[in-house]
Amino acid sequence: MSRETEFPIHPQFTERWSPRALTGEAIELPTLLSFFEAARWAPSASNVQPWRFVYGLKGTPGFEAIFASLVDFNKGWAKNASALVAVISAETWLPHGTTEPLAFATHAFDTGAAWASLALQAHHAGWVSHAMGGFDAAVLRQGLAVPAGFHLNCVVAIGKQGDKAMLAEALQAREAPSPRKPLSEIVAEGRFSF
Ligand SMILES: Cc1cc2nc3c(=O)[nH]c(=O)nc-3n(C[C@H](O)[C@H](O)[C@H](O)COP(=O)(O)O)c2cc1C
């Protein structure tokens, strides 16, 4: 079993995974927005909430703009997503009462927490979310008109899980929940001992 836990946890953590076989069916806007609602409640340093999400629904110019930035490997399967989402973060913030933007060190860390909430909410609702680092940031920035000062973290494909027979053979073999490192490789007491 690739997803046995060493300690009991809520099953949402092991039941969520990132399939690539997607049906391409339409997603209702309130459903998609509910995933961003979950992301909205993530914690962030000073409650700055640096995350920004730009989505495109399949069949719209917004979808095409995000899709165009993907590497060919991701284009091969993400074409069947119901929506594509660019996960963006603000690199600076304006502390209360100031006018000079300051570097915001945890923009990517905080936005990662928001993406995790999005992924879990999508899973709860019976949808798949699959993050992709394989995209051309310059193409995405231009396609979505993202200004300087905002970092493009990843693109997320959202869809309903489909039959893995629709995937190329090499991908069919990988279409399964993946294992994780043991706790002993990622947790230490008192001293960094990895
Ligand atoms: C930031 C990030 C970038 C990723 N990039 C890609 C990608 O470009 N293409 C892809 O097919 N999967 C990508 N993945 C999916 C990971 O491979 C997957 O999340 C990881 O293997 C763990 O599997 P799981 O999500 O099914 O639990 C990415 C995931 C993250 C979080």
Side-chain angles (χ1 to χ4, degrees), residues 3 16-20 71 73-74 77 115 130-135 153-154 174 176-178 180:
R3 292 218 154 175
R16 182 219 58 83
W17 64 289
S18 303
R20 294 190 179 87
V71 299
F73 171 77
N74 287 329
W77 60 268
W115 133 250
H130 191 140
M132 291 171 278
F135 67 91
N153 292 283
C154 73
R174 292 165 58 182
S178 53
R180 289 296 188 267

Side-chain angles (χ1 to χ4, degrees), residues 53-66:
F53 303 97
V54 178
Y55 69 86
L57 298 174
K58 187 174 173 60
T60 70
F63 185 99
E64 290 309 319
I66 301 173

